[in-house]
Amino acid sequence: MADSAPFIAAIEAARAHGQAYGITFAAVRDGEVLWSGAAGRHRDGRTPLVGDDQLVIGSVTKTFVSAAVLQ
C-alpha cells in the first residue's frame, strides 16, 4: 500500500479549496486499490467521513453523460 501522507494532504487541500463538507478518494492502478480514504465530515457537520461512505454527487453526472454521448 502506498504512503498515505501525500494522499491525506491532497484530499484535505482539495476539501478546503472546494469548501466541501467532505470528500472521498481512491487511487487505483491496474485494478488494484493503492490507497483510499476520506477527509471532512458528513453534511451534519458532526459525523466523521470514512472512505466507503456514500456521497451525493449532484450535477457531476452531466459531464460524464455528455462525454459518453460525444464519444
Side-chain angles (χ1 to χ4, degrees):
M1 186 153 273
D3 178 24
S4 62
F7 291 112
I8 293 169
I11 63 172
E12 284 289 354
R15 187 196 62 75
H17 180 75
Q19 300 176 351
Y21 288 99
I23 61 172
T24 61
F25 175 81
V28 180
R29 180 183 293 147
D30 297 328
E32 178 185 349
V33 176
L34 302 176
W35 186 87
S36 66
R41 303 196 174 276
H42 283 273
R43 292 183 69 104
D44 66 9
R46 295 182 307 272
T47 309
L49 198 60
V50 294
D52 61 353
D53 282 340
Q54 294 181 358
L55 303 175
V56 177
I57 61 172
S59 295
V60 167
T61 55
K62 293 175 191 172
T63 304
F64 294 106
V65 170
S66 298
V69 168
L70 290 172
Q71 286 179 345

